[in-house]
Amino acid sequence: MRKLSNWIEAYTAFTNNTEAPEKFHRWTAISTIAGALNRKCWVNIGRFPIYPSFYIVFVAPPGIATKSTTANQGIKLTRDAKVITVYEGSLSGAGLWDEMKDAERVVQFDNKTMQMCCLNVFASELGVLFGQKGEDLIDPLVDMWDGKDSLSHRTRGLGKMEMARPYINLLACTTPSWLANNAGLYAIDGGFFSRTVFVYADEKEKLIAYPEAVPDMEKNYEMLCHDLALIGEMRGEFTMTEEARAFGEHWYTELYTNPPEHIKGELFQGYRSRRQNHLHKASYIVTGK
């Protein structure tokens, strides 16, 4: 039995005694649940399923919004609940394939089994994750976000490699200056940016000189970990109500006939085409509690 009625609200309350913006805590919670659900859960919006994987990047000047410390709290819960394999460090495209293959497992669905490769990647510094050859990592990240049934990769030494049902969930942190200096057009035209949710902050939400432990902190952490493990056992399709579908149709029409001013430009065309996916991923994570 779950001990919390709403995991995201419980998590944001648990992390409330810090200086980080509340939106960082909320998106950390969303990323944490996305990792727990992984490819075992989905929602259909027509002819194809949408899995809850997110690429979430916190952007803030150094030392302002404690972005890495905030994100790490969700990663620690993910590790302690043992809901998905977690990787932290630098990666190449080939290294990502190796990590995904190492995370391969068999999942039971009613009377059938499925192989899937699910990985949660944490980068306290996005520049460390991408290393010197960031473009080498962009293409596989783009391929794995789209929920394909399988991917193929050929190397000279190992020949052809097959990956069944890849699923990658990314939570990373960076600074505005790193993005300005390193985010070339390839990251935009190549599709990585349109698949990423950037969460920006430029100031502390509140000042807490000594962030001490709050009452029942250990007990609350144990309840969060307990419920996250149960969320990790969920599998199957999320369904949409008629009300949600009607809202989605209206929202989709507005997105293309009257888009927000800040995403009207040609540079945001790829993002607009994937905004519907972002909406549905976030919706069933939040409403699933």
Side-chain angles (χ1 to χ4, degrees):
M1 294 289 293
R2 299 259 294 266
K3 297 181 178 181
L4 303 166
S5 60
N6 188 310
W7 198 92
I8 292 177
E9 295 303 325
Y11 178 85
T12 54
F14 176 78
T15 55
N16 189 45
N17 66 324
T18 67
E19 296 182 326
E22 192 269 345
K23 59 186 173 183
F24 276 9
H25 293 307
R26 189 165 293 275
W27 278 102
T28 296
I30 289 172
S31 176
T32 304
I33 291 180
L37 294 175
N38 58 73
R39 196 172 168 122
K40 300 181 284 69
C41 298
W42 65 90
V43 63
N44 279 303
I45 63 167
R47 297 186 179 183
F48 59 92
I50 294 178
Y51 301 98
S53 58
F54 266 108
Y55 295 170
I56 297 171
V57 177
F58 293 158
V59 184
I64 295 296
T66 61
K67 50 189 181 294
S68 298
T69 303
T70 303
N72 193 56
Q73 293 179 87
I75 296 299
K76 185 178 185 303
L77 273 163
T78 301
R79 286 196 178 101
D80 289 347
K82 298 179 174 62
V83 289
I84 189 174
T85 302
V86 177
Y87 178 85
E88 181 177 0
S90 61
L91 270 176
S92 64
L96 178 59
W97 268 80
D98 291 340
E99 292 296 330
M100 293 290 287
K101 288 294 289 182
D102 288 346
E104 187 174 34
R105 60 176 175 149
V106 176
V107 176
Q108 184 79 31
F109 284 90
D110 297 325
N111 296 321
K112 61 181 179 180
T113 59
M114 287 186 182
Q115 284 182 305
M116 53 185 63
C117 303
C118 301
L119 185 68
N120 207 98
V121 176
F122 173 53
S124 58
E125 296 291 341
L126 190 62
V128 173
L129 172 67
F130 279 94
Q132 295 297 314
K133 300 176 102 176
E135 292 182 1
D136 179 51
L137 193 56
I138 287 176
D139 287 341
L141 283 174
V142 167
D143 277 343
M144 292 178 191
W145 188 87
D146 290 333
K148 296 174 181 175
D149 287 337
S150 65
L151 288 176
S152 299
H153 176 63
R154 184 175 291 278
T155 65
R156 288 184 178 181
L158 299 175
K160 188 176 182 180
M161 297 175 63
E162 298 282 346
M163 186 188 303
R165 300 177 183 86
Y167 180 95
I168 184 166
N169 190 59
L170 170 67
L171 181 60
C173 306
T174 193
T175 63
S177 60
W178 188 92
L179 280 180
N181 294 328
N182 295 277
L185 281 177
Y186 187 75
I188 299 173
D189 293 341
F192 177 70
F193 272 23
S194 65
R195 291 167 172 82
T196 303
V197 175
F198 292 95
V199 187
Y200 177 76
D202 58 4
E203 60 184 7
K204 297 179 184 293
E205 188 154 290
K206 48 187 175 290
L207 296 177
I208 302 177
Y210 305 104
E212 300 174 354
V214 297
D216 296 324
M217 189 168 186
E218 185 175 340
K219 178 184 177 182
N220 290 333
Y221 183 87
E222 289 176 355
M223 289 194 294
L224 285 166
C225 193
H226 172 272
D227 279 17
L228 186 62
L230 292 181
I231 291 171
E233 292 297 318
M234 296 175 67
R235 60 201 63 199
E237 181 181 353
F238 280 69
T239 56
M240 295 175 62
T241 64
E242 290 301 318
E243 182 183 7
R245 189 177 184 89
F247 172 84
E249 289 174 349
H250 173 75
W251 177 91
Y252 187 78
T253 301
E254 284 291 302
L255 174 64
Y256 281 96
T257 59
N258 188 30
E261 192 66 34
H262 62 284
I263 61 169
K264 277 186 176 180
E266 184 178 346
L267 199 62
F268 288 92
Q269 184 173 337
Y271 170 73
R272 285 198 305 272
S273 70
R274 294 182 178 89
R275 192 168 174 131
Q276 185 187 34
N277 284 23
H278 291 311
L279 174 70
H280 285 83
K281 289 175 186 228
S283 294
Y284 75 87
I285 287 175
V286 171
T287 56
K289 302 181 181 180

